[in-house]
Amino acid sequence: MSHNKILEIQNLSMEFGGLQALDSINITFYEKEVVAIIGPNGAGKTTLFNCITGVYVPTRGNIFIQNPYTQMKEKINGLKPNIITRKGMARTFQNIRLFKNMTVLENVMIGRHCHAKAGIISAMVRSKKTRDEEARIIHDSRELLKKVNLVDEQYEYAKNLSYGYQKRLEIARALATKPFLLLLDEPAAGMNSKETAELMDLLKEIKKDLHIALLLIDHDMHFIMNLSEKIFVMDYGKKIAEGTPEEIQKNPLVIKAYLGENI
Amino acid sequence: MFSFKEIKKSFLISLWFMFLTFPLMVIKINPETHSILWEWKNMLWVGIGTFCISLLVRFYQARNKKKSLSKKLFFADRKIPTSVIVAFLFFSIIFPFLFSNYHVNIMTTALMYIVLGLGLNIIVGLAGLLNLGYAAFYAIGAYSYALLNYHFGIGFWLAIPIAALLSALAGILLGFPVLRLRGDYLAIVTLCFGTIIRLILENWDELTFGPSGISQIPRPTFFGIEFSPHNVTTYIYFIALGFVFFTIFMVNRLKHSKIGREWQALREDEIACEAMGVDKTKTKLSAFALGATWAGMMGVLFAAKTTFINPASFTFIESVIMLSIVVLGGMGSISGIIIAALILILLPEYLRELGNYRMIVFGLSMVVIIIFKPHGLIGNVKKNYKTDYDVSQ
C-alpha cells in the first residue's frame, strides 16, 4: 500500500458555546485506505465530519488535504462545502438527503455538475460543446448507476425508492463528484442484515475499482470490523484509541468507553 | 356509499354556509319603503346546494384515494400530444383576425401574464424561492422604458434589452440580502421589496413623476413604421405571442440544463446541494436575475401597450396574481402555467357580466381547482435523458 497522505487533521477543536464537541483531534489519513470512526452517541463523530466537509468552521486547529494526483497540499478549514467537494472530498448524510422530487438519474447528474463548465449563456445557446458536455454527464451518471445497481430505476423519483436504494443512490451521487476520499456518515444505519451485506460488497467494490479512500462512521460493529483497515475511537470529543480492528477489540479503554462487551 | 358520519359532516358544513351567507342572501333592503325583506327561501337553497356540493367533493375524494398511485402518475407525466399543440398554435395566430379589438386586448394581457408566470416560475417553481414582490421587477421594466423614452427618446425595441438588464440587476440586488432566507422569511422580505419599489415610485417626484404617473408613452413601431390605433392592438398581440414562444423555448432549455437542475436541487435540499459542489450563492442569484429579466421585458410591453403607467399598476395584488398563476399551474410545469394564466386573467374579464358576483365566482373556481388539483393543474413532466450518440467511443 502506498503511503501518501491525503488528509491531515491537526489539533482540531470545535466549541459550541461552552460545549467542547471536539478536543484537539489529530488524525492522518492515507491514500486508498478504509478508515472507520467509532464512538458512543454524542462523541463528536458527526461534528468531525462537518468540520472536514466545511459545514462548520473549526474553532482551532488545521485541516490539510493533499490531492493524490497532483500532490498539492492545501489548508481547507474555513472553505465553503461546495469548494471542498470540488477539491475531492464527497460525503453522504446520516439522515438521507436526496433531491426527492428529482429522478434518480438527475440526482447523480447534480453530483457530476461540479466538473462541468456550462453556464447560463451556454444553457440558452446550447452549442455543440454544451450538448457534448451534457451527454458526457448523462453517460457518466448512468455508468455510476450501473455500479450501484440502480440503472433500472433511473427515471424513478428519488422519493419513491426504498430505504436501501436511497442509501445506494446517495453513495452514487457522492461518487459522481469524483472524490479521492468518500465520507460515509452511518451508511448501514437502519438496514437489515441482507442490505448491510450488500452495502459491504458495494463499498469493497468501490474501493477496489475506483481506488479511493473511505471514511466511515457507523455503529454496526460487524460491518466496521469487516470493512475497515484502521479504526479511530472517539469519546467526549477526544480520540481515545487508534489501530487495526484486532487491536481495537482488545483495547481496554475502548471496551470500557464503548463496546462494553466482548465481540 | 356514504357513511352516516360523512353525511353529518356535510350537513354541518351546509349549516355553516347558511349562517355565513345569511346577511348576503336573506336580508334584502327595499330602498323605497325603507323596510327589510326576509328572504328565507334563499337560505334553503344555499343549504341544499352546499350539502350536495359537499357530498360531491367527498365522493370525488374517496374515489381518488382508491386510485392507485401509478395511475395518478400516468396522468401527471403524460406529455401533451403534438396535435393539441399545433391546434393551439394555429388558433393563437388566427385569433386577432377572428375577434374584435376588445378580445384581442384581453388576450394580449393574458399572454403577458403567461410570460410573467413563466419568469416567476424560475424563481418560485424551479429554485423554490418564494417571491411576493415580483411586480416590482415588472414596475422597473415599465418605468425604465417610460423614463428612457421621456428623457432620451429611446424606442421600444432598444428599451427591451435595457429593461431586461436593469431588472436582472434589481434581482441580484434583492438576492444578496436574502441569500440565507427561506420560506416565510423570504416571503416577507420580497413582499417588502415590492412595496418599497412602489413607494419609491410614488414619492420620488423628480424622477418618476409621483402618483400621477407618466403618460404618452409611444406604442411599439415596426422598423420605424407606426401603426394606426386599430392595427397596433393586433401588432402588440403578435409581439406578446412572440414573447410567449421565446419564453417557453428559453425556460424549457434552462430547465433541462445544468443550471436548471441545480435550481431544482437547491429547492429540494440546500445542504445536500452544497455538499455536491453546487455554488449556492451563484445559483440563487442567477435564479433571481433570470426570473426578473422576463418581468422587466413584460414591463416594457405593458408600458407600450397602455401608453400610461403609474405606481398603482404595480401593487401587491399584482404580485399575488402572478404567484397564483405559478401555484395554480403546478410548480415548475410550463403547460400548467399557460393554462393557469389564461384562467386567472380571462375568467375575471369574461365574468364581468355577472356583475357583483364576479369575484365570488372567481374565488370559488380557485377554491375548486385547489381542492381537486392540490398540486396544480398539470404536474411536472419527467425528463427522459436519451443521448443520441455514444460518448464512450
Side-chain angles (χ1 to χ4, degrees):
Chain A
M1 192 202 273
S2 59
H3 280 281
N4 282 328
K5 285 178 190 171
I6 50 169
L7 180 70
E8 224 179 322
I9 299 170
Q10 296 175 346
N11 269 323
L12 189 78
S13 296
M14 181 76 209
E15 285 159 24
F16 297 106
L19 181 79
Q20 186 93 32
L22 295 176
D23 190 2
S24 310
I25 301 272
N26 284 296
I27 299 178
T28 306
F29 297 97
Y30 296 94
E31 209 182 343
K32 296 167 196 167
E33 240 180 359
V34 181
V35 181
I37 298 177
I38 60 172
N41 282 326
K45 302 176 304 277
T46 301
T47 310
L48 179 66
F49 248 50
N50 284 340
C51 284
I52 297 172
T53 52
V55 178
Y56 299 144
V57 180
T59 325
R60 274 187 305 281
N62 288 318
I63 307 167
F64 295 99
I65 59 166
Q66 192 171 345
N67 190 313
Y69 307 110
T70 61
Q71 296 298 333
M72 274 224 317
K73 192 174 173 180
E74 347 173 38
K75 194 173 134 178
I76 57 161
N77 41 334
L79 292 180
K80 279 184 167 182
N82 56 315
I83 309 277
I84 292 176
T85 305
R86 270 165 219 242
K87 289 193 188 298
M89 289 205 292
R91 70 173 294 183
T92 66
F93 293 88
Q94 190 173 349
N95 37 354
I96 300 171
R97 282 181 172 276
L98 287 170
F99 307 124
K100 293 194 186 70
N101 290 309
M102 296 173 81
T103 61
V104 169
L105 182 63
E106 281 172 331
N107 265 277
V108 182
M109 285 166 77
I110 296 279
R112 205 46 148 204
H113 279 173
C114 63
H115 297 289
K117 289 185 188 68
I120 297 163
I121 305 292
S122 46
M124 287 177 165
V125 178
R126 249 185 115 76
S127 63
K128 175 92 172 74
K129 211 174 125 204
T130 316
R131 276 175 307 182
D132 281 353
E133 191 182 74
E134 180 95 359
R136 158 96 25 220
I137 291 174
I138 294 166
H139 176 262
D140 291 355
S141 303
R142 232 176 239 143
E143 288 300 309
L144 274 168
L145 284 176
K146 274 179 201 155
K147 192 166 281 300
V148 299
N149 218 352
L150 278 175
V151 85
D152 292 335
E153 285 83 12
Q154 58 178 320
Y155 297 129
E156 201 61 59
Y157 283 121
K159 64 179 174 191
N160 295 343
L161 294 186
S162 69
Y163 186 79
Y165 279 25
Q166 289 194 3
K167 284 266 178 188
R168 261 162 40 197
L169 176 56
E170 230 193 356
I171 292 171
R173 188 181 66 175
L175 286 175
T177 63
K178 298 190 193 166
F180 57 79
L181 172 62
L182 178 62
L183 302 109
L184 301 149
D185 198 345
E186 302 206 9
M191 283 186 168
N192 61 33
S193 54
K194 185 172 159 273
E195 285 172 325
T196 311
E198 279 173 10
L199 181 71
M200 207 140 54
D201 291 341
L202 174 68
L203 291 178
K204 277 178 182 162
E205 211 183 295
I206 288 170
K207 183 194 175 302
K208 203 179 81 199
D209 295 354
L210 302 173
H211 309 293
I212 62 173
L214 301 176
L215 172 57
L216 309 157
I217 294 180
D218 218 300
H219 289 294
D220 188 333
M221 281 305 135
H222 176 70
F223 179 74
I224 294 277
M225 297 296 168
N226 238 308
L227 205 61
S228 49
E229 292 151 4
K230 200 195 269 176
I231 296 176
F232 293 97
V233 188
M234 286 177 69
D235 198 17
Y236 294 108
K238 287 196 180 81
K239 184 177 83 179
I240 57 167
E242 68 171 279
T244 61
E246 292 76 33
E247 287 167 2
I248 292 296
Q249 282 176 48
K250 286 175 196 139
N251 191 325
L253 261 177
V254 180
I255 294 170
K256 191 176 154 230
Y258 185 48
L259 302 174
E261 56 188 306
N262 293 320
I263 49 165
Chain B
M1 195 164 73
F2 293 110
S3 66
F4 175 70
K5 210 171 149 192
E6 279 181 321
I7 293 175
K8 198 177 108 187
K9 257 190 186 164
S10 291
F11 181 68
L12 286 175
I13 285 173
S14 67
L15 273 185
W16 176 237
F17 261 81
M18 275 151 83
F19 172 73
L20 276 182
T21 53
F22 174 75
L24 195 76
M25 301 302 283
V26 178
I27 307 172
K28 293 271 151 131
I29 296 165
N30 191 337
E32 284 163 23
T33 56
H34 294 284
S35 61
I36 295 175
L37 293 170
W38 299 90
E39 300 205 16
W40 294 105
K41 210 166 60 184
N42 281 349
M43 198 171 190
L44 187 72
W45 290 125
V46 168
I48 294 171
T50 6
F51 184 72
C52 292
I53 291 173
S54 163
L55 276 184
L56 256 173
V57 169
R58 257 159 238 282
F59 174 69
Y60 183 87
Q61 278 172 343
R63 206 186 58 175
N64 233 14
K65 250 180 222 161
K66 272 185 213 150
K67 254 192 229 166
S68 65
L69 191 74
S70 61
K71 214 170 190 180
K72 262 192 222 168
L73 280 175
F74 172 75
F75 281 111
D77 290 343
R78 198 161 49 168
K79 283 201 168 172
I80 305 160
T82 325
S83 55
V84 176
I85 295 174
V86 171
F88 251 106
L89 246 164
F90 182 69
F91 180 71
S92 64
I93 287 169
I94 59 163
F95 182 83
F97 306 110
L98 294 179
F99 295 94
S100 73
N101 257 356
Y102 167 73
H103 294 284
V104 175
N105 236 329
I106 294 169
M107 195 48 99
T108 309
T109 311
L111 291 177
M112 282 164 63
Y113 275 87
I114 290 177
V115 177
L116 288 167
L118 290 171
L120 184 60
N121 179 42
I122 293 176
I123 303 176
V124 180
L126 294 181
L129 305 160
L130 192 53
N131 190 334
L132 280 173
Y134 197 58
F137 303 123
Y138 192 37
I140 288 168
Y143 268 86
S144 317
Y145 174 45
L147 292 172
L148 283 171
N149 183 272
Y150 183 83
H151 292 294
F152 308 109
I154 283 176
F156 174 79
W157 291 107
L158 187 58
I160 283 195
I162 297 173
L165 204 69
L166 286 174
S167 309
L169 279 178
I172 292 173
L173 220 64
L174 168 66
F176 263 114
V178 300
L179 276 174
R180 290 150 182 267
L181 303 180
R182 270 187 88 86
D184 320 1
Y185 304 101
L186 184 64
I188 292 168
V189 175
T190 51
L191 191 152
C192 294
F193 174 75
T195 315
I196 288 168
I197 294 287
R198 190 177 54 80
L199 286 176
I200 289 174
L201 294 177
E202 252 170 30
N203 294 300
W204 195 355
D205 284 348
E206 297 81 36
L207 183 77
T208 65
F209 303 100
S212 50
I214 303 167
S215 56
Q216 289 179 320
I217 302 164
R219 292 199 165 90
T221 56
F222 184 71
F223 294 110
I225 308 161
E226 278 183 37
F227 287 89
S228 68
H230 178 80
N231 287 333
V232 87
T233 316
T234 314
Y235 181 50
I236 292 174
Y237 172 85
F238 279 114
I239 293 175
L241 194 66
F243 263 111
V244 170
F245 292 146
F246 177 65
T247 313
I248 292 171
F249 180 70
M250 275 305 168
V251 170
N252 207 19
R253 271 198 167 176
L254 283 171
K255 189 177 164 187
H256 299 299
S257 71
K258 174 174 170 266
I259 190 85
R261 283 190 300 269
E262 285 178 358
W263 286 334
Q264 291 172 62
L266 198 71
R267 175 189 70 194
E268 297 296 319
D269 195 319
E270 270 188 29
I271 292 172
C273 217
E274 276 199 296
M276 288 304 112
V278 174
D279 190 337
K280 207 171 86 178
T281 314
K282 214 175 95 188
T283 312
K284 270 195 183 180
L285 288 182
S286 65
F288 269 115
L290 272 172
T293 307
W294 305 110
M297 293 196 282
M298 278 308 98
V300 176
L301 190 60
F302 173 74
K305 177 174 170 276
T306 52
T307 72
F308 166 75
I309 52 167
N310 69 349
S313 313
F314 310 104
T315 49
F316 173 59
I317 198 75
E318 271 315 291
S319 302
V320 172
I321 291 174
M322 293 168 198
L323 191 66
S324 313
I325 289 173
V326 178
V327 174
L328 203 65
M331 299 269 212
S333 138
I334 291 173
S335 45
I337 283 165
I338 294 172
I339 298 169
L342 291 176
I343 291 175
L344 271 167
I345 305 304
L346 298 183
L347 205 61
E349 280 304 327
Y350 288 113
L351 285 177
R352 267 181 207 285
E353 287 164 30
L354 294 176
N356 288 338
Y357 296 99
R358 177 167 81 120
M359 279 305 159
I360 293 181
V361 174
F362 179 63
L364 203 69
S365 41
M366 294 235 358
V367 170
V368 168
I369 293 173
I370 292 299
I371 287 176
F372 289 102
K373 289 263 169 196
H375 299 293
L377 289 169
I378 293 182
N380 224 339
V381 179
K382 273 191 239 169
K383 166 105 174 155
N384 284 3
Y385 294 90
K386 293 204 172 69
T387 37
D388 296 324
Y389 33 87
D390 197 357
V391 194
S392 54
Q393 287 167 1

